[in-house]
Each structure stands twice: as C-alpha cells, then as structure tokens.
Amino acid sequence: MSSDDLTPEPPRLDRPSGGGPEEIPDWVRQLEREIHVGPAARLRIWFGRHARGLRLGVGAVLVLALLAYVGAAGYRYVKRPADPHRAYPTVSPPAGVQATTAASPPPAAGPFDGTPAGAFPEGAAGITLPSAKATGGFTAKQVSGTLTKIRAALVTARLDRAFMTAKDRERLVRQFAPDARRHLREDLSDVEFLTFATRLAPGARLLPDQPRVKGRITYRAARDDQGIRVLRVTTNFVWAYAFQSPRAEPGDGVVVVHDTLIWEVPHPDDVPPPNRGLWLTDIRAYTANVDCAASDKGLLDIGTARDGKPLATPMPDRA
C-alpha cells in the first residue's frame, strides 16, 4: 500500500505446512472455519482526489494450539488420526518502535487457571503503548495521540461489554476517520466485523472475570502509493474470554481470539478533514474454542466437543 513497505499481502487462507513453533492438535480440526470475504468488503480509501485500495483480509478461523499442558493436567483431545499434523501461522514483529504487554498478571484464580491466559494481564492493563517519538514528519504529540486513539478503539472493540451485547456498531465506528465510517457501516458483513470486534451471540454469557490480554503494538512512519505521509501502527493481540460454562478441566469455557491489525493515520497536512483519523488497512484473525454456528453469524460463543462438553483452551500463538 505504501511505496516503502509495499501493499500488505492479503490474508492467506491456506495452512502452512511448517514454520510455526507448534502443531495443531488433532481435536481442534473439527473447529476450523473459513470466513470468505466478498467484493463488498473491499474498502476504498480516498485521499483528496486520489484513491487508495483498502484490502480487508480475513483469516480462516484457525484454532491456536495448547501442547504445553499435555502432562498431568490431562487435556481432552478429539482424535482424527487420518489428518496429518499441521503448523499454524505466526506473525513476525514488523520493523519500527514497538511495545509489548508489560503489566504483571494478577494472582491466578478462576476460569483461567491452568491455561496460558492465566499469566496474561487483565483487560486494558494488557495493552501497553510504546513511547511516542517524533518520526517521519509526525511530532511526538501526534504519535501519542494516534496511539491513544488506537488503544481506545481496541478497548471498545474487544473489552467493552456494552458494545459486545449491543446491535449498534456506532460506539466503535465513530472512532474512525469520517470517510472510513461509511465503508465500515456499509461494506462489512457481520462475519467480517468479527475479525476486529467482539459481539456476543444471543444467550452467551461472560463471567465477571475480566478478559485476559497479551500482545504488542508497533509503529513507524511511511508513505502511501500517492506519497501521503502516514503513521502505520500494527497491533497483535491475544484476547481470552471466560464464558459461563461447565468446567471439568482447565480452560473449559475460555474462548481465545488472536488478531493482527494494521492501522494507518494520514498526516493532517496531507489530506482533507474527512480523511483525517483512523483507518484499518489489513486485518487477520483466528479463534479457538468457538461455537462455529455463532461464528458464521459474526458472533462469539463457547464451543463444545462432540460429547457436548466444552473443549479445553488451546494456547494462543505468541503475540
């Protein structure tokens, strides 16, 4: 999309045969889903009299595996011997200034016990912003303002319970640039909206426990293909939600969402007012332990194994 970074590759719906740190357990393959993005989801970004393509990539619903707890804890696997083990994709840290979740996790207690998410900070404490420095024509104040806006959008999209249960998207949509809002309202289906925002299925109930969050934020200055200066911010986070559900084993009732989002904010001197603000230029998301029927509708709920019991939570890929 930019002259120095080229257009981000569209999300790949294939499954790499290797290169990931761990393989997917056999039992999770029954939960794999793909979300197909139609032409209507191709957002067009217009800066001044120049058009920029906005590609919204939606990754397949690919379950992120937990293999580290196969010992005494004893995880329940749904066996499918005929399928070969496959590696799951990871996202390499992009170049630029970045910050990784630094808050200390609370004492382990409750639904996250015995899972990797038990070591994650609670809620917004897991979203650590990098230090704001002047870069590429953007002042330190402009960088700080952009990072703060993105953090607020992430909190609304993934942690705001009022937003999760509301049918109205405006609480999140209005945080984007004016020209971006129309595309978010008109061009994104419910399924595609799920890739960067959490909305609960009817009847789904979260426990009072705050979601656990871990990830990183990276930013750098760039220019788009029209020479417009942009601040490009990459957020890569794992969000773990505790749902009301029978808990026979550690992780039962926990849903994991892992998303990687690329945000761009144009320099205010380079574009007219309607283009100033947040834009999403690439989205990739994976989920684990989800109810597939709810996911097909763009909603989130806890999944169940074939015996009707919740599945133990797999470990998300390293954010």
Side-chain angles (χ1 to χ4, degrees), residues 27-75:
W27 61 266
V28 302
R29 294 197 183 95
Q30 68 174 338
L31 295 181
E32 285 193 15
R33 313 288 292 175
E34 291 191 356
I35 304 174
H36 297 284
V37 181
R42 306 282 185 184
L43 305 184
R44 307 298 301 175
I45 302 177
W46 291 86
F47 286 156
R49 290 175 293 178
H50 301 285
R52 288 200 290 142
L54 171 62
R55 264 189 316 214
L56 223 89
V58 180
V61 176
L62 177 65
V63 181
L64 313 170
L66 173 69
L67 296 180
Y69 295 86
V70 181
Y75 277 84

Side-chain angles (χ1 to χ4, degrees), residues 161-235:
R161 298 199 181 202
F163 173 78
M164 292 181 195
T165 56
K167 295 181 179 180
D168 188 3
R169 303 176 177 183
E170 287 303 304
R171 187 187 295 259
L172 176 61
V173 169
R174 67 189 178 207
Q175 298 182 47
F176 287 81
D179 274 3
R181 298 171 195 169
R182 175 172 54 86
H183 298 296
L184 291 172
R185 294 184 187 110
E186 298 175 1
D187 294 345
L188 285 184
S189 70
D190 288 339
V191 176
E192 292 149 359
F193 205 75
L194 174 62
T195 59
F196 67 96
T198 298
R199 295 193 297 165
L200 300 181
R205 296 290 183 271
L206 290 175
L207 293 174
D209 304 72
Q210 282 288 310
R212 299 296 177 87
V213 181
K214 184 177 181 180
R216 65 170 177 263
I217 297 177
T218 306
Y219 73 86
R220 67 187 183 89
R223 286 185 180 267
D224 70 2
D225 54 4
Q226 300 297 328
I228 294 170
R229 292 170 293 175
V230 296
L231 190 66
R232 181 168 297 136
V233 181
T234 301
T235 61

Side-chain angles (χ1 to χ4, degrees), residues 144-165:
S144 176
T146 293
L147 295 174
T148 299
K149 289 178 181 179
I150 290 174
R151 187 179 191 273
L154 289 172
V155 169
T156 299
R158 293 299 191 191
L159 300 176
D160 186 337
R161 298 199 181 202
F163 173 78
M164 292 181 195
T165 56

Side-chain angles (χ1 to χ4, degrees), residues 5 8 232-235 260-264 279-283:
D5 193 42
R232 181 168 297 136
V233 181
T234 301
T235 61
T260 301
L261 312 177
I262 297 179
W263 311 71
E264 285 190 358
W279 294 85
L280 273 175
T281 61
D282 193 70
I283 302 173

